[in-house]
Amino acid sequence: MRTRIKNLCSSLCAAPVMLSNHMWTYCQYFLLYFRSLFGNHHINQSYVIDACMEPMYWVVDNFVVFIGPAFVVLVVTLTSFVVFLSYWIGVPFYWHKSPALTCVLIVVGNWILLNYVFHYYMGVTTMPGYPPQSPALTCVLIVVGNWILLNYVFHYYMGVTTMPGYPPQ
């Protein structure tokens, strides 16, 4: 009877180890099956990340009509909030320190704000792929090594070069 109890205790103590070995074996089999079904030599980290980001691309492609105006409203709201806080808190704070510095900060800040608003407006209203038709941007000089090239900006954007003497012979 005593040996029976001893054998039972030793088998009960060995049961968790046997169970963990058994579960480890099944996990190894599962990993082998999973890798053999879904794995291949061409799968790497970039491919997996691209596959995981595919739903995000789909959402952006299908809902860009709604996302674009929402982001425009968000940018305008946040910019207005920052300007409001700078006039409400910043101007009185700096006015007590130095009125001359405050005037310089207001002029520079308004200049930056005007540039920001202008470029944001131009970015929102300009159609993608079409540069603005400005007579000031008809040609540009490009320096490549020892060569100076005259490049017509609009032809460059359109992929057509009609420069005299181009391509070099």
Side-chain angles (χ1 to χ4, degrees):
M1 179 82 172
R2 189 171 205 165
T3 57
R4 236 174 165 192
I5 292 174
K6 201 175 197 184
N7 288 341
L8 182 64
C9 283
S10 66
S11 66
L12 285 178
C13 290
V17 174
M18 289 174 45
L19 183 62
S20 69
N21 288 341
H22 192 65
M23 292 301 291
W24 180 252
T25 304
Y26 276 119
C27 284
Q28 292 296 321
Y29 281 137
F30 175 75
L31 285 175
L32 177 67
Y33 294 147
F34 183 81
R35 289 177 181 155
S36 66
L37 288 174
F38 299 109
N40 111 21
H41 178 70
H42 302 290
I43 291 180
N44 58 13
Q45 182 180 6
S46 298
Y47 179 79
V48 171
I49 290 172
D50 188 40
C52 291
M53 292 181 70
E54 189 65 32
M56 185 180 67
Y57 296 148
W58 180 85
V59 167
V60 170
D61 285 342
N62 290 315
F63 297 106
V64 74
V65 174
F66 306 112
I67 295 172
F71 280 149
V72 169
V73 168
L74 183 69
V75 166
V76 168
T77 304
L78 290 176
T79 304
S80 302
F81 182 70
V82 168
V83 169
F84 171 74
L85 284 180
S86 65
Y87 275 104
W88 185 39
I89 296 172
V91 170
F93 176 77
Y94 282 109
W95 187 261
H96 291 297
K97 286 190 166 220
S98 169
L101 176 66
T102 307
C103 292
V104 170
L105 288 176
I106 287 175
V107 168
V108 171
N110 284 331
W111 178 68
I112 291 173
L113 179 64
L114 183 66
N115 279 307
Y116 175 78
V117 168
F118 170 75
H119 289 294
Y120 191 74
Y121 171 77
M122 291 303 291
V124 168
T125 58
T126 303
M127 293 297 292
Y130 298 100
Q133 299 294 329
S134 170
L137 292 176
T138 54
C139 66
V140 73
L141 287 177
I142 299 174
V143 178
V144 180
N146 294 332
W147 295 90
I148 298 176
L149 304 174
L150 181 66
N151 192 357
Y152 292 90
V153 175
F154 300 115
H155 296 295
Y156 175 74
Y157 282 136
M158 300 306 171
V160 179
T161 53
T162 56
M163 262 181 10
Y166 187 81
Q169 296 160 22

